[in-house]
Amino acid sequence: LISWIENASAALPMIMKELAPDTGRAHVIGLTGPPGVGKSTTATSLVRALRARDERVGVLAVDPSSPFSGGALLGDRVRMQEHALDRDVYIRSMATRGHLGGLAVATPQALRAFDAAGFDTVVIETVGVGQSEIEVAETADTVLLLLAPGMGDGIQAAKAGILEIGDIFVVNKSDREGAQALVRELRTMIALGDRDAEDWKPPIVSTVAYDNRGIEDLLASIDRFRAFQVASGRAQIRRIARARGEVESIALAKLRAEFRISGDASLNDLAKAVSRGEIDPYAAAEKVVAGL
Ligand SMILES: Nc1nc2c(ncn2[C@@H]2O[C@H](COP(=O)(O)OP(=O)(O)OP(=O)(O)O)[C@@H](O)[C@H]2O)c(=O)[nH]1
Ligand SMILES: [Mg+2]
């Protein structure tokens, strides 16, 4: 199914129709943060902790440079092998070549496949630097923002506006110098953010992912956030927002495809006219849209 989603198969509308009644159960955890902070390692540790609770776990890596994609560092591959023979763990990376709408369309559809297949938790790893990664993180029920000391990440993250998307902050590589300083810096930034008293206050969890240190704490924070979201009705609000984004990006991709088929020819002629000053670009755009 995920291969079909990657390749934007023409069968997807039919498949998604069949899957729809079986979706809505999986808890989606988004793992995002700058390159190399330890997202894949943390995902591996989380899988181990969730398996100890007997959950079925899926991992989806949407970053093409991710170790899960096979362009991997040997160490990471060895680490993931711990789960390779476990039939209740499924790990996949996803490319979106040729997919109209790219990740924005493909990611939520892949999550549907995991969900319908009966996974209790799906961990989705993205690199949190660009807008599309932020969009992907927004498809999650719970967003973990990973940072690590020694990169000036705290400040960078604030600049990129990604501090707002974190439900839980993880300071990984806490075995390294500067971890405490980063925690303090984050605490100040969170306190400065404008939040209402009844809003969730994002906790900061310190971890050493490759030693499993702090992972139980992280899981406890995830559980607390989940309970808060469900009790406050925010879990549902986020799901509706996710569905909205899904429909919108599919609709826009469809429009773009139609534009390529029927809008392109008229566009050439109109472009000539615009370049000669015979028509203004707004009027030309109106004509193209009207002709679709
Ligand atoms: N010192 C230290 N190193 C760690 C820790 N966790 C992960 N690493 C190492 O950091 C490196 C990057 O870890 P990954 O898990 O691949 O990081 P990532 O964020 O998934 O990287 P990209 O997917 O490439 O963005 C690896 O060499 C890990 O072994 C940690 O807690 N402490
Ligand atoms: Mg990775």
Side-chain angles (χ1 to χ4, degrees):
L1 277 178
I2 292 176
S3 297
W4 281 338
I5 291 163
E6 275 182 310
N7 300 320
S9 159
L12 282 182
M14 190 191 75
I15 291 165
M16 290 308 157
K17 186 177 176 180
E18 293 295 319
L19 295 189
D22 292 317
T23 57
R25 283 186 288 261
H27 174 213
V28 179
I29 299 175
L31 245 178
T32 192
V37 288
K39 296 179 293 295
S40 300
T41 314
T42 303
T44 308
S45 299
L46 273 176
V47 169
R48 188 179 303 127
L50 290 164
R51 284 301 294 137
R53 294 179 173 185
D54 223 21
E55 289 195 24
R56 299 189 71 212
V57 195
V59 179
L60 179 70
V62 292
D63 166 29
S65 71
S66 166
F68 300 140
S69 66
L73 293 163
L74 183 62
D76 286 291
R77 247 186 271 161
V78 169
R79 210 172 306 131
M80 288 315 287
Q81 267 177 9
E82 166 187 344
H83 305 298
L85 294 175
D86 185 342
R87 48 172 296 153
D88 290 318
V89 175
Y90 183 76
I91 297 160
R92 214 6 243 259
S93 65
M94 189 169 64
T96 52
R97 307 171 282 274
H99 207 300
L100 279 169
L103 289 179
V105 172
T107 307
Q109 304 317 306
L111 290 175
R112 284 175 175 277
F114 274 104
D115 193 1
F119 288 96
D120 302 294
T121 301
V122 183
V123 179
I124 153 171
E125 176 187 340
T126 61
V127 176
V129 281
Q131 184 57 35
S132 68
E133 286 79 8
I134 291 175
E135 275 168 26
V136 169
E138 281 169 353
T139 67
D141 297 304
T142 302
V143 177
L144 312 184
L145 181 57
L146 255 74
L147 299 166
M151 304 171 170
D153 286 324
I155 295 150
Q156 271 172 13
K159 273 192 194 141
I162 64 172
L163 275 184
E164 274 96 84
I165 68 166
D167 299 313
I168 297 166
F169 292 90
V170 182
V171 173
N172 190 41
K173 306 196 184 183
S174 286
D175 52 330
R176 292 224 180 132
E177 210 179 315
Q180 279 309 314
L182 180 55
V183 169
R184 278 195 299 274
E185 187 182 6
L186 277 172
R187 202 173 284 143
T188 311
M189 281 179 175
I190 291 168
L192 286 174
D194 72 306
R195 266 173 245 272
D196 295 330
E198 72 272 18
D199 283 349
W200 171 257
K201 193 169 164 289
I204 304 165
V205 183
S206 297
T207 58
V208 182
Y210 63 11
D211 272 353
N212 284 318
R213 269 194 275 158
I215 298 300
E216 283 303 322
D217 274 357
L218 177 56
L219 209 52
S221 290
I222 292 170
D223 289 341
R224 266 200 307 280
F225 177 69
R226 189 85 192 116
F228 173 87
Q229 287 291 91
V230 171
S232 64
R234 289 172 196 219
Q236 196 54 31
I237 292 170
R238 211 176 260 199
R239 289 251 165 133
I240 293 167
R242 185 206 298 182
R244 214 190 126 91
E246 231 178 312
V247 176
E248 190 182 302
S249 49
I250 292 170
L252 287 175
K254 221 172 141 65
L255 281 175
R256 223 171 285 133
E258 257 167 60
F259 182 81
R260 272 184 204 173
I261 294 162
S262 63
D264 225 31
S266 58
L267 188 56
N268 275 336
D269 294 335
L270 284 164
K272 276 181 208 152
V274 171
S275 74
R276 291 193 205 109
E278 292 160 13
I279 181 174
D280 70 275
Y282 283 87
E286 280 295 336
K287 276 182 191 281
V288 175
V289 173
L292 286 183

